[in-house]
Amino acid sequence: MGADIHGFIECRPRWADTEHAWSAAVDLDLLYLGRDYDAFGCLFGVRNHAGFIPLAPERGLPERISDAARAEFDDWGSDAHSHSWISWSELKRVDWDEHAETADRRIHEYEVVNGAWALVGKAGWSARFARAAGLSADPAAGYGSHDWAEGTEWRDGDRLYRVERMTRREAVPAEGEWKPVWSVMAVLAALHGDENVRLTVWFDN
């Protein structure tokens, strides 16, 4: 069963008289249309197959959550999980070239495109890879307890399989699906301050 992300970009206006005055600026569903587990794992620790140290894992809802975000979250009821938040000031300090703590649990698959290896996917199970690596062809057996070193490779005709460790930039590309979210947060932060803009999220399965 897949996991999807929901939430709001929230903002506390610079002129607000009280710290309670957080507003739901934009519904995340209007800006982010994907389901990328690499990003979910890197940012919030959800479906963290790539082995990142998450930036903001399960912090819970902000103490001063906006009314709209609270109402939307409550509507999800028990289906909502892994709720968290992260401020724009924190995101600005992220080292996007930092590697994941461990190698990706999925094997990265490449094929030759225009004379060079190009990534075509990665998966927790591949029958073709199992044959190339001399493993059981039974998907239920998985890859067993193998702890292959980063960089280990297998060739099978026009396919290359490799154990890799991702960077945060690979999980959340600057020009990728999260760009609209970061752009809106940056604009709000320029007007109201980095600490006054945050992304509040939760997930459902």
Side-chain angles (χ1 to χ4, degrees):
M1 184 177 296
D4 290 302
I5 190 170
H6 309 278
F8 287 85
I9 294 174
E10 295 185 294
C11 181
R12 182 171 55 195
R14 183 183 295 276
W15 57 79
D17 295 329
T18 169
E19 64 177 6
H20 298 259
W22 283 88
S23 299
V26 183
D27 190 322
L28 181 60
D29 288 346
L30 298 175
L31 298 173
Y32 179 77
L33 307 178
R35 179 195 275 178
D36 190 328
Y37 293 156
D38 290 333
F40 293 174
C42 172
L43 297 171
F44 301 108
V46 173
R47 304 293 176 98
N48 192 13
H49 307 302
F52 287 103
I53 298 176
L55 298 178
E58 296 195 55
R59 290 177 168 176
L61 296 178
E63 182 179 357
R64 312 296 186 189
I65 190 172
S66 64
D67 291 342
R70 165 59 77 178
E72 179 77 11
F73 175 79
D74 289 346
D75 282 346
W76 280 95
S78 60
D79 290 333
H81 64 86
S82 305
H83 29 300
S84 193
W85 60 272
I86 189 168
S87 69
W88 181 243
S89 62
E90 291 175 291
L91 286 165
K92 285 181 66 175
R93 296 194 298 269
V94 172
D95 176 6
W96 295 104
D97 293 317
E98 180 183 14
H99 280 84
E101 188 174 31
T102 64
D104 196 333
R105 291 194 293 271
R106 300 154 301 178
I107 301 298
H108 293 222
E109 179 180 353
Y110 293 81
E111 68 176 358
V112 176
V113 176
N114 296 325
W117 291 112
L119 181 68
V120 295
K122 48 195 172 186
W125 172 256
S126 163
R128 183 170 177 177
F129 167 71
R131 290 193 301 271
L135 303 175
S136 169
D138 181 4
Y143 296 149
S145 59
H146 293 284
D147 187 18
W148 294 297
E150 179 185 351
T152 302
E153 294 183 349
W154 299 262
R155 287 284 298 272
D156 181 28
D158 63 346
R159 288 292 191 274
L160 170 69
Y161 299 93
R162 180 184 295 149
V163 178
E164 297 191 358
R165 191 158 58 107
M166 298 182 66
T167 65
R168 295 194 187 277
R169 191 181 307 280
E170 290 171 327
V172 191
E175 297 298 318
E177 294 176 317
W178 284 87
K179 183 177 180 179
V181 180
W182 306 151
S183 297
V184 170
M185 293 182 76
V187 169
L188 290 171
L191 294 170
H192 302 286
D194 294 347
E195 291 290 348
N196 289 330
V197 179
R198 69 189 177 206
L199 177 61
T200 297
V201 302
W202 56 90
F203 294 81
D204 78 279
N205 292 331

